[in-house]
Amino acid sequence: MGQQAPTGPELRPDRLSRQNLAGWLYSTPFLALFLTFMAFPIIATLLMSFTDFGLRNVTHPLDARFVGLDNYTALFGDPKFMKALFNTCYFVVLGVPLTIGSGLVAAVLLNSGIDRFRTFFRVGFYVPVVTAIVAVAVIWRFVLDPSEGLIAGLGAQLGFSTPDFLASKALAMPSLIVMAVWRNMGTAMVLFLAGLQAIPVEVREAAKLDGAGAFQEFRRITVPLLRPTMLYVAVMTTIGFLNVFEEPFVMTDGGPGDSTLTVSLHMYKEGFSFFHMGSASAMAYVLFTIVLAVTLLQFRLLKDKTR
Amino acid sequence: MSATEPRTTRPPKPGRTATSRRPGTTALTYTLLTVGLVVMSAPFLWMAISAFKTPKDLGASPPVWIPTEWTLANFRELLDLMDIARNFMNSAVVAVVVTVCNLVFCSMLGYALAKLNFAGKKAVLGVVLGALMVPGNLMLLPQFVMMSKMGLLDSYAGLILPFAAGAFGVFLMRQFMMAIPDELLEAARIDGAGEWYIFWRIVLPLVKPALATLSIFVFLGSWNNFLWPLVATNDPDKYTLPVALATFATDPTKAAGSNGVLMAGAFLVVLPVVAVFLVLQRHFTQGIATSGLK
């Protein structure tokens, strides 16, 4: 990210003022929309999180009562929210490494010098990324369907019985994770492919000449040089996974027994089904704080080692 | 490193010269890739086939892989249960308008940030980069209250406005426009061209590939968007396609109906996007790669 201003020839004052005017005119549409639909709501969420904002406040927002940190303290005493927090972490801790891992494996395979069908495979792996999560969730609910689904069908064909994945407290979340990995792996793959192709051939050849095997080359050359890509993929995937919503919304509605209730889904239900908007706002900020903390942590962990 | 070379189509393929491969390794690679591809495409194939199955084939055990009888009954039933043409139109109108707005607004600001000197530019850039990092969940509740107060729930305006200018687009356009030589713009200025002329006639034509990438991303994002349309619409006539599908799928009174109907619905949501993707796939993956590797 370059911060430097464009270094043109020295600007005369009249041109500078013309550029001032143009600059601000060009900024206006974005800034107006940003202030109205992002900046103001971000602050409003914070303010709402300190109030008892409820259904009647949708029409009379200013009547909401200030309750200090009550919403936040209540959240951390609420087993349901803690369960949602745990589920979200579970989803991230398992889902993110699996997504990165499978994306990296696919990218390395595609980059390993195969001549034919490279585009074909790449496109095939990427298709799930472009499809709507809602449609994907509906499809996977059917794939996992205990009586008519693909997995049950395969099981019947091969002669073993399959569990009802989404109705099992132990298996529902892992099922959602598998699905999320399936859908997001393509993004990681494409980014890793770009990263792999940026590694100069000379470096690899030098490693070869020094007698490095394939595994050593991967460990000593590929992984370190791929670190910036790794950082980007890790951060983006983690942010996406921390906000997981559509998968449990469509597939399980948070069940069975809250085993797939995520923070975003809990926030949605509290906010728009029960109109506990003050408490839902507090959840939004707790989630945001976690996103921020994890992102900063990842930057530290993945960046410092290269220095 | 940055997206400053929109024209480079394909980097050379390294690894190929460096690796002297044994046939066994190649065979293993292809085997693994094929297994992967089967896993990746199986749910789609299952969906596509099931959409055309009769209830008898759907419920068969052991399963029927190729329908004994192909039927359009699922699609017909779907059309009876929801006004899917209307939902399709809603999604299309919203996605097209959002895309056009983003193209105009993001390239304007991207140009200003890449090529103009104006007081406060650093602050504006800071706002853009900050906005990139804020998750949508953080704004959802007040946005709903605002839209409700403004009377924009269940309206196109309510679905479009929050997405009419994204920070990602500004950043992308700025990255591409920084690659345009300053001398070119300076020469135009000396010839007396105004800022608007320069932007419209010189800069925009030079960043067509970036505009294409941005349209693909914004259109796709809008087409697949779910949470905000779910919150901002109550009237089934205003539902976008994903909201209509999800509402249908999660409504206990309807969802009990038939998996075949649901797959027909999923088919109609997925098909247009996948078709467009297969035609434009090079731009998709390039866009991801260039915008991702800053």
Side-chain angles (χ1 to χ4, degrees):
Chain A
M1 305 178 191
Q3 279 94 7
Q4 77 280 25
T7 49
E10 210 50 43
L11 289 160
R12 291 205 310 272
D14 61 318
R15 271 201 215 150
L16 196 60
S17 73
R18 213 171 62 172
Q19 292 208 1
N20 258 326
L21 182 67
W24 281 103
L25 278 178
Y26 288 177
S27 309
T28 303
F30 175 87
L31 288 181
L33 288 163
F34 169 82
L35 289 175
T36 318
F37 295 108
M38 275 187 89
F40 175 72
I42 290 170
I43 296 164
T45 305
L46 187 63
L47 296 177
M48 278 164 74
S49 75
F50 299 120
T51 68
D52 66 347
F53 208 98
L55 182 55
R56 73 196 162 80
N57 301 111
V58 175
T59 41
H60 301 95
L62 297 179
D63 289 355
R65 209 162 44 85
F66 180 77
V67 296
L69 288 171
D70 283 7
N71 286 326
Y72 290 92
T73 46
L75 279 188
F76 289 99
D78 175 14
K80 197 158 174 146
F81 178 73
M82 298 313 281
K83 179 77 179 155
L85 208 53
F86 171 82
N87 290 339
T88 306
C89 294
Y90 181 11
F91 189 83
V92 169
V93 167
L94 242 68
V96 172
L98 282 173
T99 304
I100 295 177
S102 52
L104 184 59
V105 168
V108 168
L109 286 176
L110 283 176
N111 199 53
S112 65
I114 59 164
D115 294 320
R116 291 141 164 271
F117 303 119
R118 176 197 285 252
T119 307
F120 175 73
F121 282 117
R122 195 194 57 204
V123 170
F125 288 143
Y126 194 72
V127 166
V129 175
V130 299
T131 53
I133 308 186
V134 167
V136 162
V138 169
I139 293 169
W140 272 78
R141 207 176 68 174
F142 178 47
V143 164
L144 298 170
D145 186 293
S147 61
E148 298 182 358
L150 175 61
I151 310 257
L154 280 175
Q157 198 93 39
L158 302 173
F160 59 87
S161 69
T162 45
D164 185 351
F165 295 94
L166 296 179
S168 150
K169 276 188 192 176
L171 294 175
M173 191 52 112
S175 305
L176 297 196
I177 291 172
V178 167
M179 185 198 116
V181 172
W182 175 87
R183 182 171 186 278
N184 292 292
M185 182 273 260
T187 309
M189 176 197 72
V190 168
L191 289 167
F192 281 131
L193 262 177
L196 285 170
Q197 294 182 341
I199 297 176
V201 180
E202 297 78 36
V203 179
R204 290 185 186 286
E205 272 168 358
K208 280 261 147 55
L209 286 178
D210 289 347
F215 179 72
Q216 254 190 331
E217 182 195 314
F218 181 76
R219 220 176 77 90
R220 303 276 175 191
I221 310 279
T222 310
V223 171
L225 288 177
L226 221 49
R227 212 173 261 284
T229 314
M230 191 77 87
L231 172 69
Y232 182 77
V233 175
V235 171
M236 294 315 287
T237 313
T238 307
I239 292 176
F241 276 39
L242 277 170
N243 285 304
V244 54
F245 172 78
E246 284 91 343
E247 294 89 338
F249 179 88
V250 172
M251 293 171 76
T252 57
D253 194 29
D258 289 341
S259 64
T260 57
L261 185 74
T262 63
V263 175
S264 288
L265 181 59
H266 192 27
M267 183 191 82
Y268 170 82
K269 287 185 172 186
E270 280 292 302
F272 296 105
S273 301
F274 306 111
F275 287 97
H276 298 154
M277 291 197 156
S279 154
S281 299
M283 280 184 222
Y285 261 94
V286 171
L287 184 60
F288 175 62
T289 310
I290 295 171
V291 169
L292 208 62
V294 171
T295 308
L296 293 176
L297 184 72
Q298 281 178 329
F299 266 102
R300 279 190 69 102
L301 285 180
L302 280 159
K303 221 163 196 177
D304 281 353
K305 278 185 194 162
T306 48
R307 296 283 134 85
Chain B
M1 287 311 270
S2 67
T4 46
E5 282 298 325
R7 292 295 165 82
T8 43
T9 40
R10 234 172 220 217
K13 290 161 183 164
R16 198 158 307 179
T17 42
T19 337
S20 51
R21 301 180 58 82
R22 277 159 301 169
T25 329
T26 310
L28 182 66
T29 305
Y30 276 112
T31 312
L32 289 173
L33 284 173
T34 307
V35 170
L37 194 67
V38 168
V39 173
M40 296 306 279
S41 48
F44 287 125
L45 294 175
W46 184 247
M47 174 268 287
I49 292 171
S50 301
F52 298 98
K53 277 184 186 169
T54 57
K56 193 168 142 283
D57 281 355
L58 277 169
S61 176
V64 178
W65 300 110
I66 308 292
T68 52
E69 182 193 339
W70 295 80
T71 174
L72 287 174
N74 293 319
F75 291 91
R76 260 184 244 115
E77 197 179 330
L78 183 75
L79 292 178
D80 286 344
L81 288 169
M82 55 200 238
D83 192 352
I84 201 155
R86 170 90 208 209
N87 302 136
F88 193 95
M89 273 304 293
N90 290 342
S91 275
V93 168
V94 170
V96 167
V97 178
V98 165
T99 306
V100 172
C101 288
N102 268 276
L103 286 178
V104 175
F105 298 152
C106 295
S107 51
M108 279 167 65
L109 183 50
Y111 171 64
L113 290 177
K115 289 295 167 199
L116 296 180
N117 275 314
F118 62 100
K121 179 167 136 173
K122 281 207 165 142
V124 177
L125 182 63
V127 166
V128 172
L129 294 179
L132 267 179
M133 294 164 197
V134 180
N137 282 350
L138 203 55
M139 301 162 280
L140 196 66
L141 295 143
Q143 274 181 347
F144 172 79
V145 177
M146 275 170 63
M147 291 291 182
S148 158
K149 292 290 275 183
M150 294 157 90
L152 292 179
L153 294 179
D154 281 323
S155 78
Y156 284 149
L159 290 173
I160 290 165
L161 283 172
F163 303 97
F168 167 76
V170 176
F171 186 74
L172 187 77
M173 295 316 292
R174 171 179 172 268
Q175 293 299 94
F176 274 87
M177 288 173 176
M178 293 213 301
I180 298 172
D182 283 325
E183 293 76 26
L184 187 66
L185 308 185
E186 206 46 44
R189 283 189 190 115
I190 288 165
D191 288 348
E195 289 304 330
W196 183 250
Y197 182 91
I198 293 175
F199 168 67
W200 202 248
R201 291 295 178 85
I202 297 175
V203 172
L204 278 190
L206 285 175
V207 292
K208 269 186 196 155
L211 292 171
T213 303
L214 182 60
S215 355
I216 290 170
F217 276 92
V218 174
F219 188 91
L220 196 69
S222 176
W223 186 268
N224 293 343
N225 191 15
F226 179 62
L227 188 48
W228 176 249
L230 175 72
V231 166
T233 53
N234 268 317
D235 176 1
D237 273 354
K238 285 292 172 349
Y239 284 172
T240 58
L241 216 42
V243 177
L245 179 66
T247 310
F248 180 64
T250 54
D251 182 342
T253 58
K254 288 178 186 162
S258 152
N259 280 322
V261 180
L262 271 174
M263 287 310 106
F267 189 82
L268 292 179
V269 176
V270 168
L271 189 69
V273 170
V274 170
V276 170
F277 166 68
L278 291 179
V279 175
L280 298 177
Q281 52 88 13
R282 232 156 56 83
H283 299 276
F284 271 86
T285 43
Q286 252 173 43
I288 281 266
T290 38
S291 55
L293 283 179
K294 290 178 286 205

